[in-house]
């Protein structure tokens, strides 16, 4: 900053001679106070020289900053510097520079996604394997998925927290009228705490205590199908009393008669917001891997059934397929012919029997 400052002082007389500024020129910072009021300064400097004739003495702009000449309230002259960040010059990027920049960005992304559960699996580069049969391909898929399942289970053990005894809750014997009143009060009020993908962690219990500061009840909205598990866990951690379950996804909690807000509202045996999110990602990945294993095993079972019915498809050639189709077509034709022949024979036998019956009836009539 010192170099451009001295350069500015060198250019001051040149600017004052060659570029005089009028009173209607660009804006400048005014001098604080009245120059005539500073008596000690007027002794040495004439008053006409203190009157502003050229604003270049008061303000000097640089390329990346400015210097202002100011007289303080005490009557002392002072220079004020105002630094401005220099604009970043974007160089023309060659193909090599662009490639290096993309490589650096990729490294940053990889470093940020180290804890991504999708990255768990067999170490090393993936090689495209060619399998002779579909059975080998499906078995390899199941084997890789089981390895990933074991790694996910091992990683989830890091997020296990030992359960500590929660706040002691005195048993509240609520009458029917009190329970009915609390239910109606909880249904009418709109204060609620949602349970998202993180599940029950310290922030959920903290929000419940903050609601209980002004309300006696709070609604907890959770996933459908897991209401009872959530009710037991939250009642243990918060000390509240579950009053009602609404529509299989909402629980109404009552704080109790003698409720006192605890000093530490987030329990010790709960995860933080960040760790709860990481745990939910691993749980979601584990669920999808187990679903994939079940589908692959079913696919393998269907393959075995197909082989048992039609034989191994890897040992069959195109000509054998054609021969089989021809043979099956001949068999079908033969079966159709046999059915037609049997039907014609049955029709002939029926006709002969009817003729015999007619002749017998005629002989009986003639004899009578």
């Amino acid at each position: 900053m010192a170099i451009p400052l001295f350069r500015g002082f060198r250019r001051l007389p040149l600017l004052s001679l060659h570029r005089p500024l009028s009173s209607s020129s660009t804006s400048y910072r005014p001098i604080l106070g009245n120059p005539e009021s500073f008596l000690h300064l007027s002794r040495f400097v004439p008053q006409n020289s203190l009157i502003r004739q050229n604003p270049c003495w008061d303000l000097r702009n640089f390329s990346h900053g400015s210097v202002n000449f100011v007289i303080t309230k005490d009557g002392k002259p002072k220079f004020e510097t105002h630094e401005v960040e220099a604009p970043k010059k974007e160089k023309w990027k060659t193909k090599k520079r662009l490639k290096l920049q993309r490589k650096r960005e990729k490294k940053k992304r990889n470093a940020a996604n180290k804890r991504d559960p999708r990255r768990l699996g067999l170490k090393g580069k993936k090689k495209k394997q060619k399998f002779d049969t579909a059975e080998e391909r499906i078995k390899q898929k199941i084997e890789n998925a089981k390895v990933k399942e074991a790694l996910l289970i091992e990683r989830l053990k890091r997020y296990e927290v030992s359960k500590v005894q929660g706040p002691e809750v005195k048993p509240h014997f609520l009458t029917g009228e009190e329970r009915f009143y609390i239910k109606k009060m909880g249904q009418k009020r709109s204060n609620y705490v949602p349970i998202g993908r993180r599940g029950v962690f310290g922030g959920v219990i903290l929000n419940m205590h903050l609601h209980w500061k002004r309300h006696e009840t709070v609604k907890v909205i959770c996933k459908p199908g897991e209401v009872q598990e959530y009710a037991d866990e939250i009642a243990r951690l918060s000390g509240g009393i579950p009053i009602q379950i609404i529509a299989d996804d909402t629980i109404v909690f009552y704080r109790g008669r003698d409720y006192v807000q605890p000093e530490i509202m987030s329990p010790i045996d709960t995860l933080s917001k960040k760790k709860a999110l990481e745990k939910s990602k691993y749980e979601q990945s584990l669920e999808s891997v187990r679903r994939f294993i079940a589908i692959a095993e079913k696919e393998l079972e269907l393959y075995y059934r197909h082989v048992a019915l039609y034989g191994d498809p890897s040992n069959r050639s195109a000509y054998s397929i054609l021969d089989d189709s021809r043979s099956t077509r001949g068999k079908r034709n033969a079966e159709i012919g046999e059915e037609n022949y049997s039907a014609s024979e049955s029709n002939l036998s029926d006709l002969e029997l009817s003729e015999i019956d007619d002749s017998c009836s005629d002989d009986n009539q003639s004899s009578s």
Side-chain angles (χ1 to χ4, degrees):
M1 191 64 204
I3 294 170
L5 180 64
F6 289 118
R7 282 180 190 166
F9 285 132
R10 252 187 297 171
R11 291 175 187 170
L12 279 173
L14 295 172
L15 288 167
S16 61
L17 291 171
H18 296 291
R19 197 179 63 180
L21 297 174
S22 62
S23 60
S24 63
S25 62
T26 56
S27 61
Y28 52 86
R29 180 165 179 163
I31 297 173
L32 299 175
N34 190 3
E36 296 178 358
S37 62
F38 304 122
L39 298 174
H40 67 278
L41 190 64
S42 62
R43 291 175 187 174
F44 305 102
V45 183
Q47 291 184 359
N48 295 330
S49 64
L50 286 173
I51 298 169
R52 183 187 304 278
Q53 293 179 357
N54 193 347
C56 289
W57 293 99
D58 303 332
L59 178 67
R60 170 63 183 156
N61 290 322
F62 298 104
S63 56
H64 306 311
S66 61
V67 179
N68 300 342
F69 178 72
V70 182
I71 295 175
T72 60
K73 292 180 180 179
D74 302 333
K76 296 178 181 179
K78 182 183 176 183
F79 288 98
E80 285 186 356
T81 59
H82 299 278
E83 295 183 4
V84 181
E85 290 184 2
K88 294 181 180 178
K89 293 181 180 179
E90 293 186 2
K91 295 181 180 179
W92 182 71
K93 292 179 182 176
T94 58
K95 200 177 270 187
K96 188 176 179 181
R97 283 177 182 168
L98 187 64
K99 194 175 180 181
L100 290 171
Q101 184 187 354
R102 286 176 180 172
K103 199 172 181 181
R104 286 193 296 270
E105 288 174 358
K106 189 178 179 182
K107 281 184 180 179
K108 284 181 181 179
R109 286 197 303 270
N110 292 343
N113 295 331
K114 275 184 180 178
R115 294 183 179 180
D116 194 347
R118 290 174 292 183
R119 291 183 170 271
L120 285 175
L122 297 170
K123 292 183 179 179
K125 292 184 178 179
K126 292 183 179 179
K127 296 180 181 179
K128 291 184 179 180
Q129 297 179 354
K130 292 183 179 180
F131 301 100
D132 298 331
T133 59
E135 182 183 0
E136 292 179 5
R137 177 176 56 81
I138 297 166
K139 282 183 177 179
Q140 185 67 28
K141 279 185 180 181
I142 293 169
E143 187 180 348
N144 292 342
K146 284 184 177 177
V147 170
K148 189 171 182 180
E149 183 187 9
L151 289 170
L152 285 167
I153 291 167
E154 187 180 352
R155 190 63 63 88
L156 277 168
K157 287 179 182 177
R158 299 180 186 179
Y159 299 95
E160 289 180 358
V161 183
S162 58
K163 291 185 178 181
V164 184
Q165 180 62 36
E168 294 182 2
V169 183
K170 295 179 181 179
H172 292 278
F173 299 102
L174 299 172
T175 61
E177 292 178 359
E178 288 174 345
R179 189 173 287 273
F180 178 79
Y181 169 73
I182 291 167
K183 281 182 184 179
K184 288 292 180 185
M185 185 170 55
Q187 288 173 8
K188 286 181 180 179
R189 287 182 178 172
S190 59
N191 56 320
Y192 69 95
V193 176
I195 295 178
R197 62 179 298 181
R198 292 179 177 86
V200 180
F201 66 103
V204 175
I205 311 301
L206 172 66
N207 287 337
M208 288 180 70
H209 283 296
L210 292 174
H211 278 288
W212 280 338
K213 188 177 180 180
R214 295 180 178 272
H215 306 280
E216 291 183 0
T217 60
V218 64
K219 285 186 280 190
V220 178
I221 298 170
C222 57
K223 298 176 186 177
E226 302 177 7
V227 184
Q228 197 60 43
E229 297 173 6
Y230 281 125
D232 297 339
E233 185 70 15
I234 293 168
R236 183 183 69 82
L237 292 169
S238 65
I241 304 164
I243 295 292
Q244 187 185 12
I245 294 172
I246 305 167
D248 199 28
D249 63 345
T250 307
I251 313 163
V252 179
F253 278 94
Y254 175 53
R255 68 181 185 181
R257 288 174 188 166
D258 306 325
Y259 171 73
V260 179
Q261 196 175 57
E263 294 180 0
I264 301 170
M265 290 184 280
S266 294
I268 302 167
D269 56 337
T270 53
L271 296 170
S272 64
K273 190 176 182 180
K274 185 180 177 182
K275 288 188 176 180
L277 180 62
E278 290 173 6
K279 184 183 177 182
S280 70
K281 285 181 180 177
Y282 287 120
E283 285 176 349
Q284 187 178 2
S285 182
L286 181 62
E287 187 181 351
S288 62
V289 165
R290 283 175 176 169
R291 197 184 304 120
F292 174 78
I293 290 169
I295 291 166
E297 286 176 350
K298 194 173 182 180
E299 188 180 352
L300 188 63
E301 186 182 350
L302 290 171
Y303 174 77
Y304 286 145
R305 284 185 187 177
H306 180 81
V307 169
L309 289 171
Y310 303 104
D312 193 358
S314 60
N315 298 331
R316 297 174 67 183
S317 62
Y319 296 105
S320 65
I321 292 167
L322 290 171
D323 294 339
D324 291 346
S325 63
R326 286 170 186 170
S327 63
T328 51
R329 197 180 299 165
K331 286 178 182 178
R332 285 178 184 175
N333 292 334
E335 288 174 359
I336 291 166
E338 287 177 0
E339 288 176 359
N340 293 335
Y341 179 73
S342 60
S344 62
E345 280 186 349
S346 62
N347 291 331
L348 286 170
S349 61
D350 292 339
L351 286 170
E352 287 176 356
L353 289 170
S354 63
E355 287 176 359
I356 291 164
D357 291 337
D358 292 339
S359 62
C360 290
S361 61
D362 291 339
D363 292 339
N364 292 329
Q365 285 177 4
S366 61
S367 63
S368 60

